[in-house]
Amino acid sequence: MKQNNINDIRNIGIIAHIDAGKTTVTERILYYTGRSHKIGEVHDGEAVMDWMADEQERGITITSAVTTCSWDGREIHIIDTPGHVDFTIEVERSLRVLDSAIGVFCAVGGVEPQSETVWRQADKYQVPKMAFVNKLDRVGADFFGTVDMMRERLDANPLILALPAGAEDEFNGVIDLVAMEQISWDDDSLGATFTSGPIASEYEQLAIEYREKLLETISEFDDTIMEAYLSESPITGTQLIDAVRKATIDLDLVPVLCGSALRNKGIQPLLDAIVRYLPSPAEVPPIVGIHPDTGEDVACPARTTAPLAALLFKVSMMEGRKLSFARIYSGRLSAGSDVFNASRNKKEKISRILRMHANKRERVDHADAGDIVGVVGLKDSSTGETLCDQQHPVILENIELFEPVMSVAVEPKTRGDQEKLDQVLEKFLAEDPTLRVRQDEDTGQTILSGMGELHLEVITSRMQREFNTRVNVGKPQVVYRETIESEATATAVFDREIAGQHHYGQVTLRLLPLERGAGNRFRSEIPPDTIPELFIPAIEKGVLESFESGALMGYPVVDIEAVLVDGACKESMGTELAYTVSASMACKDGLAKAGPYLLDPFMAVEVYVPEPFMGDVIGDLNARSGKVESIEPRLGVQVIRATVPLARMFGYSTALRSATQGRGTFSMQFYRFDRK
């Protein structure tokens, strides 16, 4: 395999709301770069990047897929991410390891809710971004409206580099404002061939106006352009490209391009822009980790000669084998070599390194700084952990995970399925950090908890389809939290002889409710001689463990402060076990006395509904205990924003379709836990 210079590598992610056209854009990129020999369409279930059976059947992306292609001598690593809120973790862990992102926006829907979510995730990791306004051939397409929404909703500073030539049915090409020429595509070649020429007279004035705005905006961030602009000197294409590149990498501007991926228009200029304006791994600030022993900061420069530092951002089970995806930040990873997992303090062996193309792969001998590869042979390592050189240990920042909000019960149909189920769930848990599994002690059922109805539906479908594990699935149940209404004090004594040793501990706790979102806290107010200091951590452990299961229905308890106010100790009988158990007993007693109540998960819901059906939709939201926050008109529909308890949102898509003659759509994402 030819080894590219690190400056010729681009690590990009395609991010957007569901159905904005991310996978369609990616499929065109693969076709025009020669990586694929035919265009796979999402609606036909033939997209290369949507390789899972559930993805092809549902026409959506469920798991982020990695691929590599080349354009203009540059190697581009692409991660195509899901757009559905249930699979947000896939976006989170992809953005954690990427150097830049392309936000795809539907020209009709504009900036939709999940677009905002993924954009904020990219902002959190300070990832340089570009925007591609897609679907300009659709009825109701509004390029300039979408750009305005980027300003309002994303706090972005868009820089328009291309204009659409025509709109809706008459969309026929793109006007390049850097080269000041019009680009048209040949439909017979599936958009592989295109011609550049003078701008048509009907678009000339608009192009001049927006070229002027382009120069005016970029001159604010580049002194050379500013001087040339003010003195009315000619500005070369190279000067302009360099200035846009710097402003993009510095997160000052977001270049905006446009096209229609499904109609094969606008993809080659997008590829040119990826190469021109997005950073190589060497142009982003070096990632900083911490030394596992000293806690000091350790910089990991993007150089092959530096010590190895690689982050495992995803684990996948492919054909029954564990495949780990790694982003190499510094150093070299070689097949057959030993590496050190600093997160677990364990040695691992790399048996094979794979260059990925969705679910296909190509073996390579080594991978260098800047590469994103698949790794086979890791036994104990999992998502978010760091591989490094044992002589130069480092732990990179972990990936933020999300708490599940919905559960289903699964039961194996036969004894043989029970054995299979345990193995399959172990694989799913290694793959998906947002999935939780527990056994219900009362019913003996296995309870799966996940991010939403679709997430759990896909997991149970994959159990049966990929692993041939037959299960009965219960109706989805909401995952609640518990908290308390009032203050309460409780005392508990543990006084028992176990295996010939006497254990004694007495603890008095005061429990106080905290404001929503404050989390759980523990503090001690007892004089130093009441209970020996060495037993305080054991008491805290007992308290925090008891918060994992509430007094009402056994859900986790949140937003409570536990204060140790009194206790007692008998000389030579005090033990950690006694204080842990007595603290847990006191805590459970206090929770029962303090007026416990349930907190519902509330969802932020956006409903897109035509004007004639507004009354019915708002009435239905009110009937579901929803609170309408705002209503705003947008591109022929009204957008209703509301917060609704998740428990009342089951079956909402069917209800909305029947109330709006199939014309209403909605999206929702977790908002917070609160009292209904």
Side-chain angles (χ1 to χ4, degrees):
M1 184 194 74
K2 175 181 171 288
Q3 181 59 49
N4 273 349
N5 183 310
I6 193 166
N7 294 311
D8 292 334
I9 293 174
R10 302 288 182 271
N11 289 318
I12 65 167
I14 313 283
I15 60 172
H17 186 88
I18 191 167
D19 207 29
K22 296 177 301 304
T23 302
T24 306
V25 168
T26 311
E27 292 296 321
R28 268 58 184 179
I29 288 175
L30 297 180
Y31 181 68
Y32 299 136
T33 57
R35 195 70 180 79
S36 297
H37 299 296
K38 68 185 280 271
I39 295 177
E41 300 293 12
V42 174
H43 52 265
D44 294 334
E46 293 180 354
V48 172
M49 302 302 275
D50 287 349
W51 56 270
M52 281 170 57
D54 276 284
E55 293 178 317
Q56 293 169 352
E57 195 173 277
R58 297 167 194 270
I60 61 169
T61 302
I62 290 169
T63 180
S64 50
V66 181
T67 190
T68 304
C69 59
S70 296
W71 184 258
D72 194 22
R74 310 301 201 281
E75 185 177 287
I76 305 173
H77 301 153
I78 303 171
I79 300 184
D80 175 31
T81 65
H84 198 286
V85 67
D86 282 19
F87 308 108
T88 297
I89 183 63
E90 292 287 336
V91 186
E92 182 81 19
R93 57 189 179 184
S94 299
L95 287 170
R96 171 69 180 78
V97 298
L98 290 167
D99 301 321
S100 51
I102 297 168
V104 178
F105 300 97
C106 170
V108 180
V111 178
E112 295 167 290
Q114 186 63 5
S115 300
E116 289 187 59
T117 304
V118 296
W119 198 269
R120 304 275 175 244
Q121 286 172 298
D123 283 342
K124 179 170 75 178
Y125 293 118
Q126 296 193 307
V127 173
K129 297 172 288 293
M130 277 194 337
F132 182 75
V133 180
N134 192 25
K135 302 191 178 184
L136 283 163
D137 59 310
R138 289 260 308 270
V139 174
D142 184 352
F143 173 75
F144 297 108
T146 302
V147 173
D148 289 341
M149 286 173 73
M150 286 177 62
R151 286 192 187 91
E152 292 161 21
R153 294 198 165 196
L154 306 176
D155 299 323
N157 193 359
L159 180 71
I160 296 174
L161 298 183
L163 296 172
E168 300 182 350
D169 291 346
E170 294 177 6
F171 174 69
N172 57 32
V174 165
I175 296 161
D176 180 349
L177 295 178
V178 176
M180 282 304 277
E181 58 188 20
Q182 187 168 331
I183 306 171
S184 303
W185 278 266
D186 173 21
D187 291 335
D188 293 338
S189 67
L190 295 176
T193 58
F194 56 94
T195 54
S196 303
I199 298 168
S201 56
E202 65 261 40
Y203 308 124
E204 201 169 352
Q205 200 52 48
L206 187 70
I208 290 168
E209 179 191 336
Y210 275 88
R211 165 78 175 194
E212 195 69 16
K213 286 182 180 178
L214 164 63
L215 296 176
E216 196 178 307
T217 305
I218 198 66
S219 66
E220 294 174 29
F221 302 97
D222 188 279
D223 292 340
T224 308
I225 302 287
M226 171 73 86
E227 286 172 23
Y229 180 65
L230 292 175
S231 63
E232 297 185 358
S233 304
I235 296 169
T236 66
T238 305
Q239 284 177 317
L240 194 50
I241 288 166
D242 290 346
V244 174
R245 179 181 181 77
K246 184 177 183 305
T248 304
I249 294 172
D250 292 345
L251 307 179
D252 293 323
L253 294 171
V254 177
V256 179
L257 293 103
C258 61
S260 168
L262 192 62
R263 299 284 169 258
N264 310 314
K265 293 176 170 64
I267 302 300
Q268 291 91 341
L270 176 64
L271 280 162
D272 288 337
I274 289 168
V275 167
R276 287 174 178 174
Y277 308 124
L278 295 182
S280 72
E283 290 171 301
V284 293
I287 193 164
V288 176
I290 59 165
H291 194 288
D293 300 327
T294 64
E296 293 175 359
D297 286 353
V298 178
C300 304
R303 293 197 308 268
T304 305
T305 52
L308 174 69
L311 183 74
L312 299 176
F313 66 95
K314 179 179 164 74
V315 173
S316 185
M317 293 295 167
M318 284 192 177
E319 297 164 8
R321 285 187 164 191
K322 181 178 175 182
L323 174 66
S324 305
F325 290 83
R327 160 69 197 262
I328 301 161
Y329 285 100
S330 64
R332 169 172 285 187
L333 191 65
S334 300
S337 64
D338 290 325
V339 292
F340 183 63
N341 181 330
S343 309
R344 290 181 184 253
N345 197 28
K346 278 189 172 182
K347 279 186 180 178
E348 290 269 33
K349 191 169 189 71
I350 306 291
S351 60
R352 280 186 290 161
I353 299 174
L354 306 170
R355 180 62 44 101
M356 300 304 298
H357 178 47
N359 63 331
K360 298 180 177 63
R361 60 210 83 162
E362 167 197 347
R363 286 182 71 160
V364 294
D365 295 330
H366 62 263
D368 291 335
D371 282 337
I372 295 174
V373 290
V375 176
V376 179
L378 302 177
K379 288 187 171 66
D380 300 312
S381 303
S382 63
T383 300
E385 294 176 356
T386 307
L387 300 181
C388 58
D389 179 346
Q390 192 165 6
Q391 305 307 314
H392 302 89
V394 62
I395 296 179
L396 303 175
E397 182 191 355
N398 208 331
I399 295 162
E400 186 180 329
L401 301 181
F402 302 89
E403 287 301 311
V405 294
M406 195 174 283
S407 298
V408 291
V410 293
E411 291 176 338
K413 290 189 175 178
T414 66
R415 186 177 292 278
D417 288 325
Q418 175 66 61
E419 291 172 12
K420 260 199 231 174
L421 179 63
D422 295 339
Q423 294 169 1
V424 168
L425 288 177
E426 198 179 316
K427 289 176 180 175
F428 282 145
L429 286 170
E431 227 178 74
D432 187 348
T434 58
L435 186 69
R436 304 278 193 281
V437 176
R438 66 179 175 87
Q439 296 296 320
D440 188 307
E441 291 175 9
D442 297 329
T443 63
Q445 290 175 313
T446 300
I447 308 296
L448 297 185
S449 301
M451 300 299 293
E453 272 183 286
L454 182 62
H455 184 203
L456 294 171
E457 212 178 285
V458 166
I459 291 290
T460 52
S461 166
R462 287 183 63 199
M463 267 183 208
Q464 298 173 54
R465 194 188 295 242
E466 291 178 31
F467 298 96
N468 199 25
T469 309
R470 293 171 302 158
V471 291
N472 295 318
V473 182
K475 286 185 178 176
Q477 301 290 318
V478 173
V479 178
Y480 296 92
R481 294 289 185 269
E482 295 183 23
T483 192
I484 56 173
E485 198 156 28
S486 55
E487 206 174 295
T489 303
T491 302
V493 179
F494 184 82
D495 187 359
R496 196 172 297 173
E497 191 174 304
I498 302 172
Q501 184 183 354
H502 207 103
H503 297 264
Y504 180 87
Q506 180 180 327
V507 168
T508 302
L509 294 171
R510 185 167 73 243
L511 302 181
L512 303 100
L514 298 174
E515 68 275 8
R516 287 291 75 77
N520 293 327
R521 297 202 288 257
F522 171 84
R523 62 188 168 88
S524 171
E525 283 185 354
I526 58 169
D529 54 348
T530 312
I531 294 174
E533 187 73 28
L534 69 103
F535 295 130
I536 302 298
I539 294 170
E540 181 175 2
K541 180 186 173 200
V543 168
L544 296 179
E545 281 179 358
S546 68
F547 282 164
E548 290 172 11
S549 177
L552 266 183
M553 295 173 70
Y555 289 109
V557 181
V558 295
D559 303 335
I560 295 179
E561 181 172 52
V563 185
L564 177 61
V565 292
D566 200 3
C569 183
K570 288 185 179 177
E571 198 172 333
S572 78
M573 292 187 191
T575 63
E576 287 190 7
L577 171 67
Y579 282 106
T580 298
V581 176
S582 59
S584 181
M585 290 160 59
C587 198
K588 288 203 176 295
D589 187 24
L591 288 172
K593 288 183 192 173
Y597 63 91
L598 284 181
L599 294 174
D600 276 69
F602 274 72
M603 309 303 283
V605 180
E606 280 205 2
V607 188
Y608 294 73
V609 56
E611 182 91 44
F613 307 107
M614 282 271 292
D616 291 343
V617 171
I618 290 173
D620 183 49
L621 287 170
N622 290 334
R624 294 171 186 270
S625 305
K627 181 184 173 191
V628 175
E629 306 281 351
S630 69
I631 300 170
E632 71 171 62
R634 190 194 309 164
L635 298 172
V637 295
Q638 298 290 326
V639 182
I640 304 168
R641 289 193 184 84
T643 54
V644 190
L646 174 60
R648 306 299 300 274
M649 288 300 290
F650 292 126
Y652 183 64
S653 56
T654 306
L656 180 65
R657 277 199 295 270
S658 59
T660 61
Q661 298 175 6
R663 294 167 63 195
T665 60
F666 83 103
S667 64
M668 67 176 184
Q669 57 194 72
F670 177 71
Y671 175 50
R672 68 177 182 194
F673 284 98
D674 212 339
R675 197 169 194 170
K676 192 154 67 174

